[in-house]
């Protein structure tokens, strides 16, 4: 039996959480290894790119969240088999990483005045542009591929959902209100029985 271990920080967020969800929706038993900051500092040099998450499969390491999601999804029915459709979903995976790259420095600002200015500017500008671009990729839904969730849906759920929780100061929880298809997708993932089951275990 193949042994899976997903290593990430001890938090239900970001790149690690979307990979955990993919493993759970695939019904793959896995070791959910969660590292503290000190543990990560001691392990960083042993990872492929000095970053998390890392998926270990029978002792072999695979890094980068998009690669992990494609690996899991393509084997377990959570990623399109048709090449062009698969590439479209992969473009959405990349778009989420663009969002994280752009917003990461803004989220980490410490100065209160600058934080407020930069986050309000992003909420009115970049996040609207990003939401509109993603909205154009979503069809009749509720998921990207129709009635069945794929790994790209999980990534959108985790990434967009982070802005809807009210935990990021100066970014309103209705920042994606102009994008009903994106909101519908996030809610459809949230209500999926296996997603409900995952969070019920916490």
């Amino acid at each position: 039996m193949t042994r899976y271990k997903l290593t990430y920080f001890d938090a239900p967020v970001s790149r690690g959480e979307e990979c955990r969800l993919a493993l759970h929706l695939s019904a793959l038993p896995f070791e959910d290894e969660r590292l503290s900051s000190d543990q990560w500092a001691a392990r960083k040099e042993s990872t492929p790119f000095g970053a998390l998450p890392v998926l270990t499969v029978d002792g072999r390491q695979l890094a980068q969240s998009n690669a992990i999601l494609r690996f899991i999804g393509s084997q377990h029915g959570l990623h399109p088999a048709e090449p062009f459709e698969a590439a479209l979903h992969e473009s959405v995976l990349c778009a989420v990483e663009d969002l994280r790259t752009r917003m990461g420095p803004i989220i980490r600002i410490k100065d209160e005045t600058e934080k407020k200015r930069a986050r309000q500017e992003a909420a009115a500008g970049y996040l609207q542009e990003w939401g509109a671009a993603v909205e154009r990729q979503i069809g009749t839904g509720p998921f990207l591929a129709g009635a069945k969730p794929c790994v790209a849906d999980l990534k959108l759920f985790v990434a967009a959902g982070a802005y809807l929780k009210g935990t990021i100061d100066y970014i309103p929880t209705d920042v994606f209100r102009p994008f009903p298809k994106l909101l519908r997708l996030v809610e459809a993932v949230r209500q999926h029985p296996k997603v409900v089951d995952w969070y019920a275990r916490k």
Side-chain angles (χ1 to χ4, degrees):
M1 180 178 176
T2 303
R3 296 174 61 87
Y4 296 90
K5 178 172 71 174
L6 196 283
T7 304
Y8 193 65
F9 302 107
D10 188 15
V13 298
S14 197
R15 300 172 179 92
E17 189 69 0
E18 62 210 23
C19 294
R20 292 172 183 141
L21 286 170
L23 287 160
H24 186 65
L25 265 67
S26 299
L28 293 172
F30 69 100
E31 179 184 349
D32 185 8
E33 183 181 36
R34 300 183 179 225
L35 303 182
S36 67
S37 296
D38 289 343
Q39 288 172 321
W40 167 235
R43 296 266 296 276
K44 184 174 182 177
E45 290 187 3
S46 67
T47 61
F49 297 104
L52 295 177
V54 171
L55 179 67
T56 304
V57 184
D58 287 339
R60 301 168 67 191
Q61 290 188 327
L62 177 64
Q64 302 294 338
S65 61
N66 285 354
I68 293 169
L69 291 172
R70 283 192 297 266
F71 174 74
I72 298 167
S74 62
Q75 294 187 88
H76 300 282
L78 293 177
H79 194 59
E82 196 279 318
F84 192 81
E85 186 68 17
L88 288 176
H89 279 232
E90 288 159 22
S91 73
V92 172
L93 299 179
C94 294
V96 172
E97 289 306 310
D98 288 344
L99 169 71
R100 288 170 171 161
T101 298
R102 179 72 172 268
M103 293 300 297
I106 294 173
I107 298 301
R108 291 189 291 272
I109 292 173
K110 299 299 184 184
D111 178 78
E112 199 67 24
T113 300
E114 176 60 16
K115 178 197 298 183
K116 181 178 181 179
R117 184 204 64 77
R119 291 185 183 183
Q120 288 181 337
E121 182 179 278
Y126 175 73
L127 288 176
Q128 299 306 304
E129 297 168 4
W130 183 86
V134 171
E135 185 84 349
R136 291 192 294 269
Q137 305 305 313
I138 305 171
T140 57
F143 304 109
L144 283 169
K148 181 180 178 182
C150 290
V151 291
D153 298 295
L154 302 179
K155 196 172 185 82
L156 283 172
F157 165 72
V158 172
Y163 293 90
L164 306 177
K165 295 177 180 178
T167 57
I168 304 175
D169 293 343
Y170 309 118
I171 295 181
T173 57
D174 65 350
V175 65
F176 293 132
R177 181 173 53 83
F179 314 114
K181 291 190 289 185
L182 174 59
L183 293 177
R184 182 190 63 199
L185 183 151
V186 169
E187 189 59 25
V189 174
R190 188 189 319 279
Q191 294 183 12
H192 189 279
K194 289 188 176 180
V195 174
V196 171
D197 176 68
W198 172 253
Y199 289 111
R201 299 181 179 200
K202 302 300 137 185

